[in-house]
Amino acid sequence: MASVGTAHPDQVSIETHGTGTVPVTPHRLDGPDRELTWQHITTAQPRYAKYQSKADKVYPVIRLTPR
């Protein structure tokens, strides 16, 4: 799981307004799952597509699933 940015995916958590800290499990999306999710992301936030078009690498898309 180090490819998603952490050596300890079982220790990942996020903070959200109103709910505090939530433990999550990160999953890197690839292939069709990544493409579909990226379409949703860039439809909601078109500037990400612009950033991606200027980048030398493909931005990873990580799904965070509550534990």
Side-chain angles (χ1 to χ4, degrees):
M1 257 322 183
S3 65
V4 297
T6 180
H8 303 284
D10 57 322
Q11 297 176 10
V12 175
S13 62
I14 60 171
E15 268 188 53
T16 61
H17 180 72
T19 60
T21 302
V22 177
V24 296
T25 302
H27 301 279
R28 183 180 182 135
L29 300 181
D30 293 306
D33 288 335
R34 186 212 179 270
E35 292 307 315
L36 180 61
T37 303
W38 185 251
Q39 287 177 352
H40 289 295
I41 291 168
T42 56
T43 296
Q45 296 292 329
R47 66 179 179 236
Y48 289 127
K50 184 177 178 180
Y51 299 151
Q52 179 64 78
S53 71
K54 296 179 181 182
D56 292 334
K57 64 179 184 174
V58 175
Y59 292 152
V61 176
I62 310 299
R63 175 177 291 142
L64 302 175
T65 306
R67 288 196 299 272

